[in-house]
Amino acid sequence: MAESAQPLSARARLAVTAGKAAAAVSRAAGRGSGSVIGGRVALKVDPELLSRLAGHLDVVLVSATNGKTTTTRLIAEALRAGGEVVSNALGANMPAGITSALSGGSEARFGVIEVDEKYLAGVARDVTPKAIALLNLSRDQLDRAAETRMLAERWREGLQGNKATIIANADDPLVVWAASSSPNVVWVAAGQEWKDDAWSCPSCGGVLHRPDDTWRCGECGFGRPMPTWVLSGDTVIDPNGSAWPIRLQLPGRANKANAATAAATAATFGIPPHIALERMQSVAAVAGRYDVVTHQGRDIRLLLAKNPAGWLETFSLIDPPPTPVILSVNARGADGTDTSWLWDVDYGRLAGHPIAVIGDRRLDLAVRLEVAGVDFRVCQSLPEALQQLPPGRIEAIANYTAFQDLRRTVGN
Ligand SMILES: [Zn+2]
């Protein structure tokens, strides 16, 4: 068990109260859960609040370009085998949202926290984590490849000498570069579908060679470390060589990789893989993602894809043609206002699917699909798309704010 919780100082208690009041006002005004504004107010009252709240918890941080919300959820489920868990389950992953989530966890033993990539080093300093899971790094809608390399550098500098156990993906050269400054790393062979941000060596800029499933720099010799946990098909192999079946309700290879990392993370807290994996099986949807909803008589599976690597993983998990597909893209603040990333995504992989295109930027997407040579139809709205598409369960893939729009429309 965790040592008994230290009572919070008067200032910290005031900060928590002020944050909860601000959140309640925000909720009453119909502005969402209020967790971010609540956290912001609380941190204004007590800037040290995050580290105080984390003081009595065994903290796990999870960061990545893709899969961090899902993996946070899987780790939280696994660790519940060992005690109560507090988590920012809805994905508010910057310091204010994290502070707000932890304010509700005074009885918990574990804090399982998703952290935005840009805030990882700072949060890792504040909350003294026991474990940090690093899944992948790739360009997202806002950052191009050079920024991705810089992000890896910031992780590397920020994590240098950190006493946490780092659970890191051996198949992502940028993640390996970031983690290898740490003294205590557990390497997981979790795979990497998207390789376009990992052709040059993060250490020296040389060309990476990728024979079979490994990688190595031809110039400086920086290469794939030997993993102790391995995702192999539908199983995860633990450091003793035992293979454990991964049975998830969540679809796709990427989620098996997330489960393998989650099992390795849970093991650092003494939770054996078969117990961890069995608990992960209960997760059916994560903040609306992967949910199958019925709307206007049609079954629709809601899928979120925010960046090129995310779209690629999503294409690999949808049902084969002639399954109908809706694509929705916006370019509002949280999405990035520039849609040039569409050209990094191989939409040719959707050939054979009946496709309807919606969202604020449906015309940008239409141009991209036309060039990719796939057949599609531009629709003004979700109801029109539902009418136009042939029968069968629909796969609806949307980027960030388009996904929120979809959820609102279908009442999910
Ligand atoms: Zn090199």
Side-chain angles (χ1 to χ4, degrees):
M1 290 301 293
E3 46 213 274
S4 67
Q6 294 292 314
L8 289 173
S9 68
R11 182 175 193 182
R13 273 183 280 130
L14 177 64
V16 169
T17 306
K20 286 185 176 157
V25 169
S26 174
R27 267 197 306 278
R31 297 186 184 170
S33 74
S35 72
V36 171
I37 186 151
R40 264 191 219 138
V41 169
L43 282 172
K44 285 240 159 75
V45 177
D46 181 358
E48 307 286 309
L49 184 61
L50 185 51
S51 58
R52 288 192 227 283
L53 289 171
H56 75 282
L57 296 167
D58 286 349
V59 172
V60 182
L61 302 182
V62 182
S63 200
T65 305
N66 287 311
K68 53 190 177 291
T69 305
T70 302
T71 305
T72 298
R73 178 70 186 281
L74 294 174
I75 293 172
E77 288 304 326
L79 290 185
R80 284 198 177 99
E84 200 175 309
V85 171
V86 61
S87 182
N88 51 343
L90 295 177
N93 62 12
M94 298 185 206
I98 295 167
T99 302
S100 187
L102 293 188
S103 299
S106 57
E107 302 300 316
R109 174 183 171 189
F110 298 108
V112 183
I113 301 173
E114 169 188 342
V115 191
D116 180 277
E117 306 89 277
K118 294 179 191 68
Y119 291 88
L120 176 67
V123 174
R125 219 170 27 243
D126 286 348
V127 303
T128 325
K130 290 249 169 74
I132 303 175
L134 305 177
L135 315 176
N136 53 70
L137 270 179
S138 68
R139 70 189 72 179
D140 74 8
Q141 67 281 23
L142 304 171
D143 304 318
R144 312 306 288 179
E147 282 95 45
T148 307
R149 166 68 177 72
M150 275 164 52
L151 203 50
E153 190 65 45
R154 264 159 71 185
W155 279 13
R156 183 178 170 85
E157 285 170 9
L159 298 178
Q160 192 160 27
N162 195 301
K163 296 207 170 57
T165 301
I166 314 281
I167 298 93
N169 184 0
D171 292 319
D172 186 324
L174 283 168
V175 167
V176 173
W177 172 246
S180 51
S181 69
S182 306
N184 188 10
V185 187
V186 173
W187 299 110
V188 181
Q192 184 188 44
E193 288 275 297
W194 172 266
K195 298 185 175 64
D196 285 11
D197 293 307
W199 289 110
S200 70
C201 173
S203 178
C204 77
V207 176
L208 288 185
H209 300 288
R210 290 178 165 277
D212 304 324
D213 285 333
T214 185
W215 56 268
R216 181 165 203 86
C217 173
E219 304 286 326
C220 73
F222 178 67
R224 182 178 185 259
M226 183 63 78
T228 51
W229 292 76
V230 176
L231 171 67
S232 175
D234 292 335
T235 65
V236 58
I237 301 167
D238 73 14
N240 299 320
S242 307
W244 304 98
I246 301 173
R247 296 193 192 92
L248 296 174
Q249 295 187 59
L250 304 176
R253 192 214 68 87
N255 283 321
K256 291 190 174 77
N258 295 337
T261 303
T265 306
T268 68
F269 294 93
I271 312 285
H274 64 283
I275 291 179
L277 289 163
E278 193 181 302
R279 296 187 67 86
M280 293 179 212
Q281 211 179 334
S282 68
V283 179
V286 180
R289 300 156 203 194
Y290 313 110
D291 245 348
V292 178
V293 299
T294 304
H295 185 69
Q296 299 189 338
R298 304 294 304 263
D299 288 339
I300 311 166
R301 179 157 67 166
L302 304 178
L303 300 165
L304 173 70
K306 294 185 291 190
N307 47 55
W311 283 89
L312 185 69
E313 294 278 13
T314 304
F315 292 162
S316 72
L317 68 78
I318 62 175
D319 289 341
T323 301
V325 173
I326 291 173
L327 303 177
S328 185
V329 168
N330 289 349
R332 301 177 201 158
D335 307 310
T337 51
D338 172 356
T339 56
S340 61
W341 59 266
L342 287 169
W343 296 90
D344 291 340
V345 180
D346 178 13
Y347 286 97
R349 298 198 23 176
L350 292 176
H353 291 277
I355 299 170
V357 173
I358 61 174
D360 297 348
R361 292 305 187 100
R362 54 190 177 276
L363 296 184
D364 296 6
L365 191 50
V367 172
R368 177 69 192 90
L369 294 176
E370 185 65 39
V371 171
V374 300
D375 204 15
F376 63 94
R377 189 182 274 270
V378 176
C379 297
Q380 301 302 311
S381 64
L382 179 66
E384 186 191 332
L386 296 179
Q387 277 172 11
Q388 298 287 343
L389 287 171
R393 186 175 85 172
I394 296 167
E395 308 276 23
I397 313 173
N399 74 338
Y400 191 73
T401 68
F403 185 81
Q404 309 306 338
D405 285 354
L406 268 181
R407 286 184 71 188
R408 262 193 299 279
T409 307
V410 302
N412 171 261

